[in-house]
Amino acid sequence: MEIKEKKVVVTGAAGFIGSNLTDFLLEQGAEVIGIDNLFNGRIENLTEAFKKDKFEFHKGDIRDLTFLLDIFKDVEIGYHEAAFTSFPQFPTNQFMRSY
C-alpha cells in the first residue's frame, strides 16, 4: 500500500512502538497525527517527529469520543497502538471484578 501523502493517525504515538511507527510513516511521506495521553508514553520519543512539517501531536485520551471525532476528520489510515501496559492501570468499573 502506498502511504505517501496519506493522512494517518497513530494512537499511543509517544510509546515505544507508536513513536517508531510514527517516524517510519513520516519517512515514507505520510502526514501523521499522533495522539497520546502521556500516561505511559514519553514526549521525548517524538523528538524526531516534531522536526517534521507533516507531524501534528495531540495530548488526549482515546476514550474521549468527541476528541477523536474531531481528529479523525479526513483520516485515511489509523494505527491503534494505545494501551494500558499493566493490569493495575485499568479503570475499575462495574464489569471488572477481582476473583
Side-chain angles (χ1 to χ4, degrees):
M1 170 184 5
E2 180 67 30
I3 200 83
K4 189 174 185 178
E5 303 302 321
K6 299 275 189 200
K7 189 171 184 180
V8 180
V9 166
V10 177
T11 65
F16 177 76
I17 294 171
S19 61
N20 281 285
L21 176 59
T22 295
D23 289 341
F24 174 78
L25 294 168
L26 289 166
E27 287 171 13
Q28 299 304 307
E31 177 185 339
V32 180
I33 301 169
I35 300 172
D36 204 296
N37 65 5
L38 301 177
F39 189 79
N40 289 305
R42 296 178 23 197
I43 201 75
E44 298 82 22
N45 289 342
L46 295 170
T47 301
E48 291 303 311
F50 278 115
K51 296 176 184 176
K52 310 285 186 189
D53 291 335
K54 291 186 174 187
F55 179 68
E56 177 182 323
F57 179 76
H58 295 271
K59 181 180 179 196
D61 197 313
I62 62 166
R63 296 172 294 176
D64 181 346
L65 181 59
T66 305
F67 169 72
L68 288 182
L69 288 174
D70 186 47
I71 289 175
F72 269 83
K73 243 180 220 171
D74 303 320
V75 167
E76 298 173 79
I77 302 170
Y79 291 96
H80 178 52
E81 303 301 326
F84 289 112
T85 59
S86 67
F87 187 76
Q89 294 174 349
F90 279 87
T92 21
N93 63 41
Q94 62 186 359
F95 301 108
M96 297 181 69
R97 296 184 174 90
S98 297
Y99 293 98

